[in-house]
């Protein structure tokens, strides 16, 4: 639902126009849209933490439009469960309104500065041309120096993120993922040890009052001194109390007419109440097994101190030709390391989009641990021997505009030879939310069949791709020794599946190119050495 990649500064009006440009389809189940809303907030928080306020604003505004303007009219919204979910989503919007108002002047100020610099450069270029005409004997070097001496320092260009290509920087991506995932895990652990509820944590993030508290904690890595932690927590609470005062009873939206702009935020109907919203239950972490494809030779660097089917039933969809990823094991092509890469700070560089949807929307890179499917097949071996499918959910996080699969979650499930259905979805999503994870796709087996996306698989994956366009489906055919990574085409695959009302286990679709290969030359890259964890939520046998 979002556009990604390095872009020139935009003002709020331009960002709002992009934020409102998304396709909403009421045929998509309400639960998928509600999960998509949660994903938008997670992405916005990460982008803001990395300093990309422009993308954070876009995602938060899009979240508000989705929740306030679209979902109340969804045909499934009136149900009791969905009505309660919608109340919770509205509260998220209210919580994020102050952040939107905080970001707006900073974004416009950055854009205005960007325009000033462009104009100053235009004038300097014109002056240089004029001087060349009037003083033909002046040396070229002197002309260059005199022309550029008039240019001011350029904070917009100077702070521009270093754009990296995924294929040539996989080793860097792995190191970055290891360091950043550990930092976030340490901060999350410290938050829990400090006794901060999930709701209070969300409120503080939305209010922008965390400051350098999280950075200070993660500098200590796992060895956090509890006395220092308590001191930081007291300072944060004091900061909150001083900044809030009696404002918690006021409307968070500004009422100053002088600050009104050409657009308005989506509004909440007065008849809706936020009272009685049920909190999502907390769950314990549960045991897990850490699987590392390879160990790093060096411990993670500490952050710098100065930086805070049945094939005869119908004609199967044509499987795209698979291109072998011949460079998976080859070293990175880059031979020089920039200061940004040496620091391994997500806020200093960004990964370029590595592919595009058929409609032109850029797709962020997904980094996949090559050994993940092998471990999954080992876990599925007993089911495979009994001709039963097995499924797992690919979870991970967003770092520097790229997506990293860091956990393989095996949910409680019910299987047949041709289907696999997740049970107790609430337990799964409680775990995902508790670990600040994003759902990036799924993996499942075809015990005796070939590697393809069945009609049932297409409908299942459509829900994932609605939540995130980059979502992938990995299909493993152990009896054939084959596997593939797929996504729906858009267009025509997404619309064809969304508009399909057939309910049979196997049925044809009108389009022949409903899905395509997502592994290279798509947006998925295997990253040797990328660590991942297996979490099995199934009850013991």
């Amino acid at each position: 639902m979002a556009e990604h990649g390095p872009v020139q500064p935009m003002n709020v009006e331009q960002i709002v126009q992009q934020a409102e440009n998304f396709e909403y389809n009421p045929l998509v189940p309400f639960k998928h849209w509600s999960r998509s809303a949660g994903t938008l907030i997670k992405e916005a928080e990460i982008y803001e933490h990395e300093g990309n306020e422009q993308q954070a604003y876009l995602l938060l505004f899009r979240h508000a439009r989705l929740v306030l303007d679209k979902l109340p009219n969804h045909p499934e919204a009136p149900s009791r469960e969905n009505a309660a979910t919608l109340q919770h989503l509205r509260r998220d919007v209210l919580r994020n309104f102050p952040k939107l108002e905080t970001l707006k002047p900073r974004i416009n100020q950055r854009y205005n500065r960007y325009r000033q610099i462009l104009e100053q450069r235009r004038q300097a270029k014109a002056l240089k041309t004029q001087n060349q005409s009037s003083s033909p004997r002046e040396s070229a070097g002197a002309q260059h120096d005199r022309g550029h001496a008039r240019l001011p320092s350029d904070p917009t260009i100077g702070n521009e993120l270093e754009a990296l290509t995924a294929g040539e920087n996989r080793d860097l991506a792995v190191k970055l993922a290891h360091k950043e995932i550990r930092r976030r895990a340490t901060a999350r652990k410290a938050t829990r040890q400090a006794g901060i509820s999930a709701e209070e944590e969300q409120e503080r993030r939305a209010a922008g009052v965390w400051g350098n508290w999280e950075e200070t904690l993660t500098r200590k890595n796992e060895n956090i001194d509890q006395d220092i932690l308590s001191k930081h927590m007291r300072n944060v609470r004091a900061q909150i109390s001083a900044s809030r005062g009696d404002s918690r009873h006021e409307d968070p939206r500004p009422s100053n007419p002088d600050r009104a702009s050409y657009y308005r935020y989506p509004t909440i109907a007065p008849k809706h109440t936020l009272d009685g919203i049920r909190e999502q239950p907390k769950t314990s972490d549960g045991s897990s097994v850490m699987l590392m494809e390879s160990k790093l030779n060096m411990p993670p660097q500490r952050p710098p101190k100065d930086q805070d089917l049945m094939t005869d039933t119908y004609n199967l969809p044509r499987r795209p030709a698979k291109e072998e990823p011949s460079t998976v094991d080859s070293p990175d092509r880059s031979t020089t390391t920039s200061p940004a890469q040496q620091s391994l700070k997500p806020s200093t560089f960004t990964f370029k989009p590595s592919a595009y949807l058929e409609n032109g929307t850029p797709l962020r890179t997904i980094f996949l641990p090559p050994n993940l499917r092998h471990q999954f097949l080992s876990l599925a071996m007993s089911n495979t021997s009994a001709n039963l499918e097995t499924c797992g959910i690919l979870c991970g996080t967003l770092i520097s505009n790229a997506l990293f699969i860091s956990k393989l979650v095996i949910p409680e499930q019910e299987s047949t030879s041709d289907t696999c259905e997740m049970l107790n979805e609430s337990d799964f999503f409680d775990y995902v939310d508790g670990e600040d994870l994003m759902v990036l796709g799924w993996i499942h087996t075809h015990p005796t069949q070939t590697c393809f996306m069945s009609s049932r698989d297409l409908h299942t994956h459509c829900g994932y791709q609605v939540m995130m366009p980059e979502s992938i489906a990995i299909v493993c055919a152990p009896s054939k020794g084959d596997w593939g990574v797929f996504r729906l085409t858009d267009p025509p695959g997404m619309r064809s599946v969304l508009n399909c009302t057939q309910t049979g286990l196997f049925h044809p679709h009108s389009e022949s190119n409903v899905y395509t290969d997502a592994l290279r030359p798509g947006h998925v890259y295997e990253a040797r050495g990328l660590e991942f964890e297996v979490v099995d939520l199934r009850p013991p046998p």
Side-chain angles (χ1 to χ4, degrees), residues 438-457:
M438 298 164 61
V439 176
L440 305 180
W442 62 304
I443 181 172
H444 73 290
T445 58
H446 284 178
T448 59
Q449 300 182 59
T450 57
C451 179
F452 70 101
M453 290 281 281
S454 70
S455 55
R456 184 67 170 266
D457 296 340

Side-chain angles (χ1 to χ4, degrees), residues 30 38 55 66 246 250 283 327 331 341 349 364 397 437 475:
F30 184 94
Q55 188 68 17
L66 174 64
D246 296 330
E250 299 176 357
T283 60
T327 59
Q341 297 179 25
F349 51 81
R364 295 167 293 186
T397 191
L437 294 171
V475 182

Side-chain angles (χ1 to χ4, degrees), residues 18-320:
Q18 284 197 15
E20 294 177 335
N21 183 26
F22 68 95
E23 184 176 356
Y24 170 78
N25 191 325
L27 296 178
V28 175
F30 184 94
K31 67 177 182 179
H32 293 322
W33 282 122
S34 64
R35 294 302 309 178
S36 181
T39 300
L40 288 173
I41 289 183
K42 287 182 180 180
E43 291 188 43
E45 290 177 352
I46 294 174
Y47 276 117
E48 185 187 15
H49 182 82
E50 295 180 356
N52 193 337
E53 296 180 341
Q54 182 169 296
Q55 188 68 17
Y57 191 99
L58 186 151
L59 295 171
L60 290 176
F61 195 95
R62 180 169 292 176
H63 173 267
R65 289 302 305 268
L66 174 64
V67 172
L68 301 181
D69 294 345
K70 304 296 184 181
L71 293 188
N73 299 318
H74 193 282
E76 298 175 3
S79 73
R80 183 175 181 178
E81 180 181 359
N82 291 339
T85 300
L86 190 55
Q87 292 276 48
H88 184 83
L89 294 175
R90 288 193 182 99
R91 186 173 61 178
D92 290 338
V93 173
L94 281 176
R95 186 184 296 126
N96 286 314
F97 268 136
K99 179 177 290 186
L100 285 168
E101 284 302 310
T102 300
L103 293 178
K104 183 168 69 172
R106 300 211 296 246
I107 290 172
N108 283 334
Q109 183 180 10
R110 186 179 299 112
Y111 174 79
N112 292 335
R113 178 59 180 158
Y114 168 75
R115 298 298 300 177
Q116 290 174 2
I117 290 174
L118 289 183
E119 178 61 20
Q120 290 168 352
R121 286 188 168 181
R122 186 194 65 78
Q123 294 177 1
K125 184 177 181 180
L127 180 61
K128 180 180 178 181
T129 302
Q130 180 181 358
N131 291 336
Q132 288 175 339
S133 304
S134 60
S135 305
R137 296 182 180 180
E138 187 176 6
S139 68
Q143 294 176 19
H144 181 277
D145 293 340
R146 187 159 55 85
H148 282 70
R150 298 177 182 272
L151 287 177
S153 60
D154 190 342
T156 303
I157 303 302
N159 291 337
E160 189 177 68
L161 300 181
E162 180 180 356
L164 305 177
T165 56
E168 298 179 358
N169 294 278
R170 278 173 290 185
D171 289 347
L172 172 66
V174 169
K175 294 176 183 178
L176 173 67
H178 290 170
K179 178 179 179 180
E180 182 63 11
I181 289 174
R182 287 169 182 157
R183 184 198 68 77
R184 295 180 188 179
T186 300
R188 187 166 56 250
K189 179 180 178 182
T191 300
R192 291 170 179 171
Q193 290 177 344
I196 301 175
S197 67
E199 182 178 88
E200 186 178 2
E201 178 184 358
Q202 178 64 26
E203 288 180 354
R204 294 181 179 194
R205 292 186 187 278
V209 297
W210 284 95
N212 294 327
W213 181 79
E214 187 182 73
E215 292 287 345
T216 304
L217 291 180
T218 52
R219 286 175 186 172
K220 299 295 184 180
N221 210 338
E222 278 77 15
N223 301 320
I224 300 176
D225 187 276
Q226 291 302 312
D227 292 335
I228 296 178
L229 174 60
S230 299
K231 180 179 179 180
H232 281 292
M233 288 304 304
R234 287 194 298 271
N235 291 337
V236 170
R237 288 194 176 97
Q239 181 182 356
I240 294 173
S241 300
S243 62
R244 283 185 176 179
D246 296 330
S247 61
R248 68 182 64 187
H249 302 293
E250 299 176 357
D251 188 337
R253 287 168 288 183
S255 58
N256 188 349
D258 294 335
R259 298 183 62 185
S261 58
Y262 46 84
Y263 70 91
R264 62 180 179 83
Y265 290 121
T267 57
I268 300 178
K271 64 180 180 179
H272 298 300
T273 176
L274 299 180
D275 295 331
I277 298 177
R278 294 182 290 114
E279 283 296 323
Q280 296 293 330
K282 299 180 182 179
T283 60
S284 59
D285 288 344
S287 60
S288 59
V289 180
M290 173 64 74
L291 302 173
M292 294 186 295
E293 187 180 3
S294 63
K295 296 182 178 180
L296 297 177
N297 295 327
M298 298 292 291
Q301 297 181 352
R302 301 173 71 179
K305 293 182 178 181
D306 62 339
Q307 298 290 346
D308 328 279
L309 61 37
M310 302 302 178
T311 58
D312 57 347
T313 304
Y314 70 96
N315 293 327
L316 301 178
R318 176 167 54 88
R319 178 185 172 186

Side-chain angles (χ1 to χ4, degrees), residues 511-530:
E511 303 289 346
S512 58
N513 57 331
V514 179
Y515 68 98
T516 187
D517 203 322
L519 197 60
R520 293 191 59 204
H523 67 292
V524 179
Y525 283 78
E526 291 189 286
R528 183 175 56 186
L530 182 60

